[in-house]
Amino acid sequence: MRRMPRRCHPSSLPPKSKRIWCLTAVAALLTALCVCQNPAQSQQRNGPLAPPGSAFINLTSVRSTRLSNAVRVELRFDGTVQVFADPIANGWIDFPNDEPKLFPVSVIKFRVVNARSQAGAFFDISVYPVSHVEVSIPIGAKEGIGLDVAIPLYTPAWFKGIETRENSWSGWETEKLPTFYIQESQDHRSIIVTVASDRQSEPPLRLKTPEDAASLHQELDVALVDGVLQVSALNVSLHSFAEALSAATGIRITVDDEVRKTVSLYLPATDVEEVIDTLCRGYGLSAAQVGDSIVISQASPSSGSRFATVQTRLIPLNYLKARDAVDLLPTFTRRFVRESDEHNAIMVSAPDYLADKIQADLSKLDKPAPQISVQLTAVEFSDRSDIEAAFGITAKAQSLTAATDSNTGDVWFSTLGNAVEEYSARIRGLCQSGKAKLVASSQATVLNGEKATLFVGAKKLIQVRVTTWRGRQEEILMDVNIGTRLNVVPWTGGSGDITVKLTPEVSNVVSLDPQTGMPTLQIRRYEGTMRVADGDTVVIGGLKQTVDIPSRRRIPFLGHIPIIGALFTKKTRSIDRSEMVLLLTAKVVNPEKISPKANQTPTEPAKPQ
């Protein structure tokens, strides 16, 4: 190893140079720590930055347009934009083995190198699947030139392409939704981000304006009779209604200037508090007591009114993921909620009545998912008459007599119903007489709709001849899984029934390559879906296994002699035939008996007990 020259070693430097060297090393270490702690910022920092003294443009507006199956977000500038986005560095796409591989992202990020913002830093969209738009100044930007744009989504989206003067990534298609596409406008003064949705968008609401109300029949009657307030309003402006309510009650009620609504209300016997509460709940408003006046304003977190009574509430979740919970809420509440993945909570910015409604809805949704216990028992039969003895009577009643013919190779499904004890007694009797064999019993507990994999079989060792990198022939032992694998996906809606999707798979070794000894596997796979009562047992039959493995025995030393070694070698074949019957019992686990470990979905096949 080459040594560092003596004159360059830190210990040989003058004191002043040594101090400079130490400070440089400390600065480099701190920079490395910052990069490790915040990789997202370091990634943005590695993007291009405008040099000092550069000319810049301004972000003037952010507008969104709701399409029938997408949302289009347009960032408008007062000059020509310079956009930078690296799809590979952002984790949108990669090219392993020169093939494009797409990845879903929850936040669309890119940089406008030559821009500042005159429009603000936060722009609410709240149209599925787009949540909002954030802009910020990049770290290390000179003179505040540059904008990092982030567009958080309600659900992850897949990259479809980008078309700018500096970047052109397109040419592949994906069937997955949502997708996003970034492009510049024809005049290069706008950046358009189109996010295709995985659901049909709701048509935009068209609110009645005072001009619309003028062409409709209008009624307004607000009176206080014997201390009881009577209200009847039809197609009147909110400002006119507030004036009539103030005149009748003597309470000063004003409406914020940004609120333009036409209301209809009928309350034959009420009071002022109920009228104000009904207005707010029905038209998305908020009311605040300001001195001796009641001020009605728009209930929105992005409202510019200083009278809006919007509170922020953090609602933690125990079972649901924050992103999934937002997707389950009504569409109109999206502009009031944001997910907090760090705390697995929902942040609500809304009036009290709406925050209470959202919290009540979340409490109904945030429930533990049902867990289903799946128990598998495998019984091996050597003769089909024994299967008839075990399942003949009930199988005949279930019209399955023909399906038990093993020669057809058909797989049949049935349920035992209330005859579980009868079947169990017959199987025990056949096992005691040696006509059947209890191979294994496996059990797994999975969440509702998750897959459980249960395997009954064994690993067979097969002698295989391979060629080493030096060209030498060597014989090694190779293990092959031979047996029956059952994939089970149980579903329950809480009504006492369980829908079970069954995928049994039988694997056999049918032959070995005479040159290499590599096995040829025969795999039979079937699919079926059954609906059973909670605790019922499903019977799966017709799973034949045939294992035919040749073997070779040699007399030590003599069997390895060329040419004459065959005289001291004996070849034999081992054939093993059997038919497997699986008994599967699915049962909903009582939530009170669920242990913390039961929440884990098994990722490996359950081992026989």
Side-chain angles (χ1 to χ4, degrees), residues 99-119:
E99 292 292 332
K101 183 177 181 181
L102 302 175
F103 302 93
V105 294
S106 300
V107 182
I108 305 171
K109 294 182 180 180
F110 56 89
R111 175 174 292 180
V112 186
V113 180
N114 62 332
R116 289 179 177 176
S117 178
Q118 285 186 345

Side-chain angles (χ1 to χ4, degrees), residues 24 38 86 153 185 320 332 356 362 379 402 490 503 539 546 573:
T24 304
N38 198 339
D86 188 343
L153 306 174
S185 60
L320 280 176
F332 78 92
D356 293 340
L362 288 175
V379 183
T503 308
V539 183
T546 302
R573 303 183 68 89

Side-chain angles (χ1 to χ4, degrees), residues 136-152:
S136 59
I137 300 175
I139 296 176
K142 305 298 183 182
E143 301 172 358
I145 301 177
L147 290 178
D148 280 338
V149 181
I151 306 178

Side-chain angles (χ1 to χ4, degrees), residues 493-523:
S495 60
D497 292 336
I498 301 176
T499 300
V500 185
K501 181 179 180 181
L502 303 171
T503 308
E505 178 183 296
V506 182
S507 57
N508 299 317
V509 176
V510 294
S511 65
L512 296 177
D513 187 275
Q515 300 296 327
T516 63
M518 295 293 291
T520 300
L521 295 181
Q522 181 189 55
I523 299 178

Side-chain angles (χ1 to χ4, degrees), residues 149-227:
V149 181
I151 306 178
L153 306 174
Y154 288 118
T155 186
W158 304 79
F159 176 58
K160 189 174 183 180
I162 179 172
E163 197 71 37
T164 66
R165 290 178 301 161
E166 289 80 12
N167 295 291
S168 179
W169 295 71
S170 60
W172 51 82
E173 295 292 334
T174 175
E175 298 180 355
K176 299 177 181 178
L177 289 173
T179 59
F180 66 94
Y181 188 85
I182 304 173
Q183 65 185 114
E184 290 183 9
S185 60
Q186 292 183 353
D187 61 0
H188 304 293
R189 293 194 171 195
S190 295
I191 303 172
I192 302 172
V193 182
T194 304
V195 184
S197 177
D198 57 348
R199 62 178 65 173
Q200 191 74 15
S201 299
E202 297 181 0
L205 297 176
R206 184 181 181 276
L207 302 178
K208 290 182 181 178
T209 64
E211 291 75 15
D212 296 331
S215 62
L216 301 174
H217 176 67
Q218 298 183 7
E219 290 183 6
L220 179 59
D221 183 15
V222 180
L224 188 64
V225 181
D226 297 332

Side-chain angles (χ1 to χ4, degrees), residues 117-130:
S117 178
Q118 285 186 345
F122 181 89
F123 308 92
D124 185 44
I125 304 297
S126 296
V127 179
Y128 184 89
V130 180

Side-chain angles (χ1 to χ4, degrees), residues 407-570:
N407 295 326
T408 64
D410 294 332
V411 173
W412 50 271
F413 301 87
S414 180
T415 56
L416 298 186
N418 298 325
V420 178
E421 293 299 330
E422 176 187 352
Y423 277 98
S424 300
R426 292 180 182 179
I427 293 173
R428 285 196 299 267
L430 291 173
C431 290
Q432 292 175 0
S433 61
K435 297 181 179 180
K437 178 182 178 182
L438 183 62
V439 178
S441 179
S442 304
Q443 184 173 357
T445 301
V446 295
L447 292 176
N448 193 32
E450 297 293 336
K451 182 174 73 172
T453 301
L454 304 127
F455 177 74
V456 177
K459 288 185 177 181
K460 300 291 185 178
L461 294 177
I462 299 176
Q463 195 173 22
V464 180
R465 186 183 301 109
V466 298
T467 304
T468 65
W469 65 277
R470 293 183 178 180
R472 296 177 53 185
Q473 294 285 333
E474 293 185 357
E475 293 183 351
I476 63 173
L477 293 178
M478 178 180 178
D479 58 325
V480 179
N481 289 326
I482 304 298
T484 302
R485 184 185 303 272
L486 179 64
N487 294 326
V488 185
V489 181
W491 287 90
T492 181
S495 60
D497 292 336
I498 301 176
T499 300
V500 185
K501 181 179 180 181
L502 303 171
T503 308
E505 178 183 296
V506 182
S507 57
N508 299 317
V509 176
V510 294
S511 65
L512 296 177
D513 187 275
Q515 300 296 327
T516 63
M518 295 293 291
T520 300
L521 295 181
Q522 181 189 55
I523 299 178
R524 293 183 296 156
R525 184 181 294 109
Y526 309 88
E527 288 189 2
T529 302
M530 299 190 66
R531 190 170 186 176
V532 298
D534 184 9
D536 272 4
T537 299
V538 179
V539 183
I540 308 170
L543 304 173
K544 296 193 302 179
Q545 295 186 100
T546 302
V547 181
D548 185 1
I549 303 177
S551 61
R552 182 170 50 186
R553 295 182 179 182
R554 298 174 176 176
I555 297 177
F557 182 72
L558 296 177
H560 295 274
I561 299 176
I563 302 176
I564 65 171
L567 300 176
F568 304 95
T569 303
K570 182 180 180 181

